[in-house]
Amino acid sequence: MLDKTKRGWWKSAVFYQIYPKSFQDSDGDGLGDLKGILRRLDYLEKLGVDGIWLSPVYASPQVDNGYDISDYRSIWPPFGTMADMEELIAEAKKRGISIIMDLVLNHTSDQHFWFREALKGKDNPYHGYYIWRTGTPDAPPNDMTAVFGGSMWTYVPALGEYYFHQFAPEQPDLNWDDPRVRRELYDMIRFWVDKGVEGFRLDVIDSIAKEPDQKITSRGPHLHEYIRELSREAFREEGLVTVGEAWSADVAEAGRYSDPSGRELSMVFQFEHTFADCANGDKWAAVPLSLPTLKRCMERWQRGLAGQGWNSLFWDNHDLPRIVSRWGDEGAYRVESAKMLAIALHGMQGTPYIFQGEELGMTNIRLPIEEYEDLETRNRYAEELARGTPAEQALSAIYARSRDNARTVMQWSGEENAGFTTGKPWFALNPNYRQINAEAALADPDSVFYHYQALIALRKRYPVFRDGDFTLLYPDDERLFAYTRETEEEALLIACNFSRDPLPFALPEKFRGAKPLLGRDGEVLGPYEGRLYYQKRARP
Ligand code: GLC
């Protein structure tokens, strides 16, 4: 178990993300819940993770699956009670697992008390908690389009005003320029710290300091000032881990967020690498992966933050398609490619995050359009059709990129409903659950699960995972992703075949005699094979 009072403990940690609606149901209503998570803590302990990033479990109308919070201090009843939450925190802690709560600080639900009050009139004390501009029904203040489609402005006839929302109309943006809003949020965070929560994931944190009149959403002029204040006021304990979601972060910006001397955040989620298979930076415009682009991107981040800030490492989350389907092989090489992708990621410097089911090699789903739940997916499809895109083409982008790929229910067993619920699951089940499930994985010593378990354990055993310098090998090779990590005492060599073709592979001179810690040895890397070599080095 890691000593979590130690500064920077999270540099040796591995986190696991739970999307609660789809993880484990305990009461047969078809929705995952806190008691369900409690029941699976032993599974997570076995995997070896040090913390759970819990996607939002707060009271919410669920327009965006909990990323629209109507009360930050209570639990959405179908997920359970505050007592369940307290029990989860305590039981997880006993197993060395920290609970990392998801903080949505950029916006609330339109059902939040503050917004309902704000709607009552311009002189209501809560009016200023949100962002308003006077206008007429057909002339929004500007033409900014929301992330989930439509305008960023919604008109309230009774007030003669528009309110600002970067996401859905049901997710009004909070006005961070109002010090009362900031105070409320800090107090709320302290409420959770007092309950024993050991860290936070900060939803779209780069968007809090928006300047709608200048059409600035992310990286507004006051952003870092607000984050420093937040950190000072709310994240007082040395041991708290904080990870900000920052789609707009480049390496320099991520350095600013995560350089300990700046006293902002432990690390950020950046997304540059997730665009290595997108045309024109558009996530919906799927093109084949350019491995050299991905490698150069990783190299830039690895080298750019070394010794200054800290990287988060992830392939999957609740907003992204499944990595095996994306950059691996869903078919004959599913297991091999899932393992290879895990090595490629976990060998790097940073804190890895595993998304539920990734440790089983779960795959994407293809559904009839009416069965998609995600509002972004549904809006996107409607917009594409309105633009004249043929339905088939619109659907194929959704198969590749919909957030619902990640949100199918967790595959626990080959039984009815994958062991997720005794009722009717709230959302689709991937039909491959009969083959791909936790029960089968636990019974097979060569499973993807045990491979992740081994990677997590290695990270704890060898300091080179945390400290080693990163060097990219063969940058232009279109099939091989290889790199080294080196300290004076230890070295790692990671070699990953991102293709179906067998690749000749010879150990570089410096690594003669190195042994694979994971994977086979040999002169050929098989289809989608990944290896991790280790070498102890004599001190010079
Ligand atoms: C983040 C979340 C996403 C959510 C959005 C709005 O990007 O990860 O799921 O829809 O913020 O809160």
Side-chain angles (χ1 to χ4, degrees):
M1 256 189 222
L2 294 173
D3 176 0
K4 294 182 178 164
T5 56
K6 262 209 184 140
R7 205 180 165 156
W9 62 270
W10 35 265
K11 292 190 174 178
S12 311
V14 177
F15 295 115
Y16 186 92
Q17 184 190 354
I18 289 182
Y19 198 65
K21 255 190 182 172
S22 300
F23 191 63
Q24 174 69 64
D25 181 18
S26 73
D27 59 5
D29 67 355
L31 288 162
D33 49 42
L34 296 175
K35 282 208 160 77
I37 300 174
L38 200 64
R39 202 205 280 171
R40 297 298 183 178
L41 283 178
D42 292 341
Y43 169 86
L44 297 177
E45 186 182 17
K46 182 161 190 167
L47 184 58
V49 296
D50 306 284
I52 294 170
W53 152 24
L54 194 57
S55 277
V57 292
Y58 315 91
S60 161
Q62 305 286 322
V63 169
D64 188 18
N65 285 333
Y67 285 91
D68 48 322
I69 299 171
S70 54
D71 182 358
Y72 291 97
R73 295 177 196 234
S74 67
I75 303 293
W76 188 47
F79 283 157
T81 62
M82 190 57 83
D84 295 335
M85 187 66 205
E86 286 162 358
E87 191 183 353
L88 177 63
I89 295 170
E91 285 299 319
K93 204 170 279 184
K94 276 190 203 158
R95 293 164 175 81
I97 299 174
S98 303
I99 299 291
I100 314 293
M101 294 282 272
D102 207 318
L103 286 175
V104 187
L105 305 178
N106 178 69
H107 46 270
T108 65
S109 158
D110 62 344
Q111 300 306 308
H112 194 288
F113 168 76
W114 301 336
F115 193 70
R116 285 194 283 122
E117 286 295 303
L119 283 176
K120 288 182 179 162
K122 294 181 193 173
D123 46 10
N124 185 285
Y126 291 95
H127 193 73
Y129 276 38
Y130 296 88
I131 298 166
W132 303 90
R133 297 288 179 269
T134 313
T136 51
D138 43 6
N142 58 39
D143 61 0
M144 294 167 87
T145 36
V147 177
F148 300 149
S151 170
M152 279 197 189
W153 299 98
T154 291
Y155 191 63
V156 179
L159 298 174
E161 286 184 318
Y162 283 88
Y163 67 88
F164 180 71
H165 54 87
Q166 298 186 54
F167 297 91
E170 295 87 348
Q171 294 169 299
D173 267 58
L174 282 165
N175 175 16
W176 271 69
D177 295 334
D178 186 331
R180 295 172 307 162
V181 168
R182 307 204 300 271
R183 185 77 267 150
E184 296 257 23
L185 294 174
Y186 306 154
D187 289 348
M188 175 276 287
I189 295 170
R190 296 308 301 172
F191 167 86
W192 288 105
V193 174
D194 291 344
K195 291 219 176 283
V197 162
E198 291 175 293
F200 297 96
R201 178 260 186 189
L202 301 119
D203 192 60
V204 292
I205 197 65
D206 53 345
S207 293
I208 56 173
K210 51 255 159 182
E211 300 275 346
D213 300 321
Q214 271 98 69
K215 298 195 181 178
I216 295 175
T217 49
S218 43
R219 290 168 75 163
H222 297 292
L223 178 62
H224 290 279
E225 174 192 326
Y226 290 157
I227 293 179
R228 279 194 300 275
E229 184 186 271
L230 161 70
S231 172
R232 200 168 58 236
E233 298 288 322
F235 306 140
R236 298 199 282 266
E237 291 74 4
E238 221 25 288
L240 283 179
V241 55
T242 52
V243 49
E245 184 199 24
W247 286 82
S248 65
D250 54 20
V251 176
E253 182 72 358
R256 247 182 117 179
Y257 286 115
S258 64
D259 182 337
S261 68
R263 303 208 159 271
E264 294 193 11
L265 303 171
S266 311
M267 64 192 114
V268 290
F269 290 126
Q270 62 84 20
F271 293 86
E272 260 183 37
H273 63 288
T274 69
F275 290 93
D277 59 356
C278 301
N280 315 315
D282 173 5
K283 82 162 187 179
W284 297 101
V287 293
L289 171 67
S290 158
L291 189 61
T293 305
L294 176 67
K295 293 192 288 188
R296 290 283 190 208
C297 172
M298 289 306 190
E299 179 187 38
R300 211 167 46 247
W301 282 89
Q302 287 289 298
R303 297 185 82 93
L305 292 188
Q308 185 208 354
W310 193 250
N311 273 295
S312 64
L313 305 171
F314 66 96
W315 293 139
D316 281 354
N317 70 26
H318 66 292
D319 293 329
L320 298 171
R322 295 274 179 187
I323 199 64
V324 174
S325 303
R326 189 174 190 179
W327 294 343
D329 178 274
E330 285 186 339
Y333 301 112
R334 186 186 62 83
V335 169
E336 201 68 28
S337 66
K339 292 181 179 178
M340 178 280 283
L341 287 158
I343 290 183
L345 192 75
H346 286 236
M348 285 187 275
Q349 185 172 55
T351 300
Y353 290 76
I354 301 166
F355 179 68
Q356 65 186 41
E358 181 185 333
E359 78 283 12
L360 304 175
M362 276 176 62
T363 62
N364 282 352
I365 198 158
R366 292 176 174 215
L367 297 171
I369 190 64
E370 328 66 75
E371 285 181 34
Y372 283 88
E373 285 281 344
D374 172 33
L375 85 166
E376 182 190 50
T377 305
R378 290 201 307 253
N379 291 352
R380 169 78 195 184
Y381 185 76
E383 271 178 15
E384 283 299 310
L385 292 196
R387 217 178 282 157
T389 309
E392 205 175 303
Q393 195 180 322
L395 206 53
S396 91
I398 282 167
Y399 291 159
R401 295 297 152 85
S402 167
R403 309 196 295 179
D404 274 344
N405 282 308
R407 301 175 181 185
T408 58
V409 305
M410 181 73 177
Q411 296 168 203
W412 292 108
S413 74
E415 287 155 37
E416 182 93 39
N417 294 328
F420 165 73
T421 181
T422 54
K424 185 179 167 335
W426 75 282
F427 181 47
L429 208 71
N430 194 316
N432 62 21
Y433 77 90
R434 297 215 183 258
Q435 294 80 47
I436 306 172
N437 62 65
E439 200 176 80
L442 290 171
D444 172 7
D446 288 328
S447 66
V448 181
F449 178 93
Y450 289 117
H451 181 85
Y452 271 87
Q453 184 191 55
L455 275 169
I456 297 168
L458 290 175
R459 172 166 293 263
K460 306 241 156 64
R461 182 148 0 119
Y462 300 107
V464 64
F465 279 90
R466 187 190 54 220
D467 302 328
D469 289 331
F470 176 95
T471 307
L472 180 65
L473 308 176
Y474 321 113
D476 300 321
D477 194 297
E478 289 177 2
R479 294 172 295 182
L480 177 66
F481 185 8
Y483 59 88
T484 60
R485 301 281 315 282
E486 293 172 285
T487 64
E488 283 185 359
E489 292 90 26
E490 299 178 294
L492 296 175
L493 169 70
I494 279 82
C496 291
N497 181 356
F498 271 67
S499 82
R500 285 173 161 266
D501 312 322
L503 296 180
F505 179 73
L507 278 181
E509 188 66 26
K510 247 175 148 182
F511 279 82
R512 278 269 173 79
K515 290 279 160 271
L517 284 178
L518 271 180
R520 301 172 279 267
D521 208 353
E523 280 160 19
V524 173
L525 275 173
Y528 291 104
E529 184 181 345
R531 285 185 203 164
L532 187 152
Y533 290 92
Y534 176 82
Q535 197 175 47
K536 188 104 191 129
R537 295 225 163 126
R539 261 185 173 287

